[in-house]
């Protein structure tokens, strides 16, 4: 189970707190009674911040059988984009690769001029034969042009996301320690806007 439990497990998970509270004890009993494991958070210490205080309110709890079945299981901290909560991800390990059939991606329609480009490609294809043969050949060539264009335009979308996420993560870490200057804050806002655009494309893709 995972999400915002709205409670910390240990005093070290909240800034300015050094003692166990009754709610922490209750949460520990809850985890123990259900025989769950509180995975360590990789990449950060806190999952929520209001700019003045920090806490780890969000987490995943898993059963021992999950950890045994998924040896590469990990709990990761990611930067926040438009929330006071940071993103957390439960990574269960890699997925075996397989051949991906060609599919028309809805996100292509979000690119300005895409329809005109397809129209231009289509009119440039010259084949002779009966109408069914011509249609089949033009569709086959169009598929190759779309795959090549997608690789050139969207092939780097994951790299863009990773670069922006890393930059945002650096800003978040510096902000937590009070080292983020006004100039860096302006850049952070630009990074968040660009990241939102990239994530929207990824959302459409999924």
């Amino acid at each position: 189970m995972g999400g915002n439990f709205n409670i910390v497990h240990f005093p070290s998970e909240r800034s300015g707190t050094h003692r166990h509270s009754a709610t922490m004890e209750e949460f520990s009993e809850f985890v123990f009674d259900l025989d769950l494991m509180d995975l360590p958070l990789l990449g950060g210490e806190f999952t929520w911040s209001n700019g003045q205080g920090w806490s780890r309110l969000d987490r995943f709890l898993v059963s021992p059988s999950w950890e045994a079945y998924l040896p590469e299981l990990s709990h990761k901290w990611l930067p926040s984009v438009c929330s006071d909560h940071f993103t957390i991800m439960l990574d269960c390990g890699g997925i075996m690769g397989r051949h991906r059939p060609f599919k028309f991606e809805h996100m292509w329609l979000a690119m300005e001029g895409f329809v005109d480009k397809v129209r231009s490609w289509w009119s440039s294809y010259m084949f002779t034969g009966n109408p069914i043969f011509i249609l089949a050949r033009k569709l086959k060539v169009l598929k190759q042009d779309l795959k090549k264009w997608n690789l050139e335009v969207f092939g780097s979308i994951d790299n863009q996301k990773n670069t922006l996420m890393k930059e945002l993560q650096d800003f978040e870490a510096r902000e937590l320690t009070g080292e983020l200057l006004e100039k860096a804050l302006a850049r952070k806002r630009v990074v968040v806007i660009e990241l939102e655009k990239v994530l929207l494309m990824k959302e459409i893709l999924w």
Side-chain angles (χ1 to χ4, degrees), residues 127-151:
F127 296 100
T128 58
N130 63 62
I132 296 299
F133 172 80
I134 293 174
L135 176 62
R137 293 295 297 174
K138 293 181 77 168
L139 285 174
K140 186 174 182 179
V141 177
L142 177 62
K143 181 177 75 171
Q144 297 304 317
D145 281 337
L146 284 171
K147 289 171 69 175
K148 181 181 178 182
W149 174 82
N150 178 68
L151 186 62

Side-chain angles (χ1 to χ4, degrees), residues 86-146:
F86 296 92
T87 304
I88 58 172
M89 178 178 69
L90 186 65
D91 189 344
C92 299
I95 300 174
M96 292 294 291
R98 60 176 178 171
H99 176 70
R100 184 183 180 189
F102 174 80
K103 293 180 180 179
F104 184 92
E105 302 291 358
H106 186 65
M107 67 177 181
W108 294 343
L109 295 174
M111 290 294 295
E112 185 177 352
F114 172 72
V115 174
D116 291 334
K117 182 177 290 292
V118 172
R119 183 181 293 111
S120 175
W121 282 335
W122 188 262
S123 62
S124 69
Y125 304 147
M126 298 299 175
F127 296 100
T128 58
N130 63 62
I132 296 299
F133 172 80
I134 293 174
L135 176 62
R137 293 295 297 174
K138 293 181 77 168
L139 285 174
K140 186 174 182 179
V141 177
L142 177 62
K143 181 177 75 171
Q144 297 304 317
D145 281 337
L146 284 171

